[in-house]
């Protein structure tokens, strides 16, 4: 999980209606042991990753109490090695109740997008994620909570535009 756990979990636990996540990078945390293992044989063993099941259980709990969780990913095509991996593991997110869509970057040229990935909770609280140039999580200042209505409106509008244009996970084939 990218966001600092206490803040992230607190925001999810307080969430009542919706949590949306916009991802716009072509690589995240290349040092992630699950990604490193996948690179060796292109197989995914979710049971072997001790961090994976708690996330799935948490998402199942959140969705089970009526929160709609949507994740949209803007990706360059042909996709990066990391995005190929991410696509391979996304079935688990979907089984836990997340809705996931993919948008080719070339189809996003006319969209106004924020400069960073984010989670938006109930269209009221924004959690901005900060990564370094290699896609590694910034250990200090990795998240920023924003409540400015103008920024929230920008991010909500951006997510909506991406979501409307993006392809559902079950129909997306990485190019």
């Amino acid at each position: 999980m990218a966001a600092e756990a206490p803040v992230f979990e607190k925001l999810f636990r307080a969430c009542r209606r919706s949590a949306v996540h916009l991802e716009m990078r072509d690589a995240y945390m290349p040092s992630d042991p699950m990604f490193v293992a996948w690179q060796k044989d292109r197989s995914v063993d979710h049971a072997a990753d001790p961090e994976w099941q708690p996330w799935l259980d948490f998402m199942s709990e959140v969705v089970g109490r009526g929160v709609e969780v949507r994740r949209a990913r803007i990706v360059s095509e042909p996709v990066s090695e990391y995005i190929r991996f991410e696509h391979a593991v996304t079935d688990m997110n979907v089984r836990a109740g997340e809705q996931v869509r993919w948008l080719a970057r070339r189809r996003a040229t006319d969209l106004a997008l924020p400069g960073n990935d984010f989670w938006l909770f109930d269209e009221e609280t924004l959690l901005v994620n900060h990564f370094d140039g290699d896609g590694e999580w910034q250990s200090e200042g990795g998240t920023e909570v924003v409540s400015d209505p103008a920024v929230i409106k920008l991010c909500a509008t951006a997510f909506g535009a991406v979501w409307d244009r993006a392809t559902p996970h079950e129909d997306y084939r990485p190019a």
Side-chain angles (χ1 to χ4, degrees), residues 76-87:
S76 299
E77 292 181 332
V79 299
S80 69
E81 192 78 352
Y82 188 88
I83 295 300
R84 209 166 286 290
F85 157 74
E86 204 167 50
H87 188 268

Side-chain angles (χ1 to χ4, degrees), residues 124-137:
E124 297 170 354
T125 306
L126 188 71
L127 182 70
V128 179
N129 296 321
H130 297 288
F131 298 90
D132 68 18
D134 293 324
E136 294 291 346
W137 185 249

Side-chain angles (χ1 to χ4, degrees), residues 46-63:
H46 301 290
D49 184 352
E51 292 184 28
W52 191 254
Q53 195 58 50
W55 172 255
L56 298 176
D57 292 344
F58 187 55
M59 281 301 98
S60 294
E61 171 199 322
V62 168
V63 171

Side-chain angles (χ1 to χ4, degrees), residues 143-156:
T143 59
E144 174 186 1
V145 177
V146 177
S147 58
D148 181 325
V151 176
I152 288 172
K153 182 179 180 184
L154 168 79
C155 290

Side-chain angles (χ1 to χ4, degrees), residues 64-111:
R65 61 182 168 81
V67 175
E68 181 181 47
V69 179
R70 296 183 296 157
R71 180 186 302 257
R73 294 175 170 143
I74 300 173
V75 297
S76 299
E77 292 181 332
V79 299
S80 69
E81 192 78 352
Y82 188 88
I83 295 300
R84 209 166 286 290
F85 157 74
E86 204 167 50
H87 188 268
V89 300
T90 295
D91 286 339
M92 294 300 285
N93 296 75
V94 172
R95 278 188 247 154
E98 288 186 54
Q99 300 171 52
V100 180
R101 292 189 181 179
W102 303 81
L103 181 64
R105 192 171 311 282
R106 71 176 171 270
R107 295 188 57 222
T109 302
D110 61 336
L111 300 179

